[in-house]
Amino acid sequence: MSEPTTTNRDSNAGGYIAAATALVGTWILISAFVYEPPAANFWNDVIVGSAIGIIAGYNAVKADDREGINTGGASLVAFLGLWMVVAPFVFETVFEAAFWSDVVSGALVALLAGYNVYQSRGTERRTRTAEAETR
């Protein structure tokens, strides 16, 4: 028969970090309406902020499950955070509050999601191994 391996988790820190990342993603979405940046930056904030919020929120919910945090999803969120740091320069955002909101929020998302990627790669997952039965 097969035996499940144990999960090597000391705490649920990854879920809390993913939840904090989802909140920052939600702020990026809301900031598009608060600061009213130019059209390209507005839609960038709406789309990227929504994606960060949804993916990081999914990871926050799944952190307690057997599978744990989705490493691919956390990697995508980290990449989107880095994009948010670069985006104000690409779209030439002139409104200072919108510029710094995107840069600081993006850096925070990249750091938090990067930590989740690091943590989830080192986590041993609970899996069942298939072994041939002997008679």
Side-chain angles (χ1 to χ4, degrees):
M1 283 285 187
S2 63
E3 292 183 28
T5 59
T6 59
T7 303
N8 185 15
R9 283 198 192 118
D10 295 332
S11 66
N12 192 18
Y16 295 121
I17 292 172
T21 307
L23 288 175
V24 176
T26 304
W27 164 249
I28 292 171
L29 171 65
I30 293 170
S31 72
F33 297 97
V34 171
Y35 297 125
E36 298 176 0
N41 196 12
F42 173 84
W43 286 110
N44 178 67
D45 287 356
V46 168
I47 293 168
V48 174
S50 298
I52 290 170
I54 291 168
I55 297 168
Y58 172 81
N59 273 340
V61 170
K62 293 303 249 180
D64 256 354
D65 285 356
R66 215 172 86 178
E67 296 87 21
I69 291 175
N70 183 330
T71 305
S75 298
L76 177 61
V77 170
F79 176 74
L80 291 174
L82 292 175
W83 166 249
M84 286 306 299
V85 172
V86 176
F89 298 101
V90 172
F91 297 125
E92 298 176 355
T93 304
V94 293
F95 188 53
E96 193 170 322
F99 177 88
W100 286 110
S101 175
D102 285 353
V103 169
V104 171
S105 298
L108 191 58
V109 165
L111 286 172
L112 292 172
Y115 179 76
N116 265 351
V117 170
Y118 170 75
Q119 183 185 25
S120 68
R121 287 179 49 104
T123 302
E124 186 178 320
R125 303 233 178 352
R126 183 178 173 190
T127 58
R128 293 197 175 263
T129 57
E131 297 176 3
E133 292 184 29
T134 58
R135 291 184 189 206

